[in-house]
Amino acid sequence: MAGKPDEWPAEFPSELRHLIATNRAAEDVLANRHALIDVDRRRQSMRAASRAIDNNPDQRVTLLTGAVMLNLPKTDVQNILKKDLQELDIESNRIRSELKEKVNLVQELEFKDPLKGYDLKPLSRTEMSAVGQAFGRSARNE
């Protein structure tokens, strides 16, 4: 029984359809939070690997991918890790934006007001410099 409560059979009471929709939306929120945690763990392990490679004095690094061990130049492995980190950042941002929408849907289904401040976005560099100028200091000096 997927879909919106209005699409379900008429023999379902409207209260039951609403509870089912609310429960499914809440499960989606929890699934997104778990996915975000998994992405953050992978990103953290990539950062640890990148730091270990940076501290390694050797010019070649052994990389294990699946069942294959590759002996690659240090710069190539660093580039691979940077690319993977960028992909994980994109995935993390995508999950976060979906999570905001799903949390708002749960709030709506529970007849609550939308969360305040949940849709905030960070200031851009130009906005930060304008704030710094307004307060008489450079944004980088803080």
Side-chain angles (χ1 to χ4, degrees), residues 120-132 135 139 142:
L120 296 177
K121 294 182 179 140
L123 295 175
S124 68
R125 288 186 188 269
T126 55
E127 292 169 331
M128 282 298 292
S129 65
V131 169
F135 288 112
E142 295 183 38

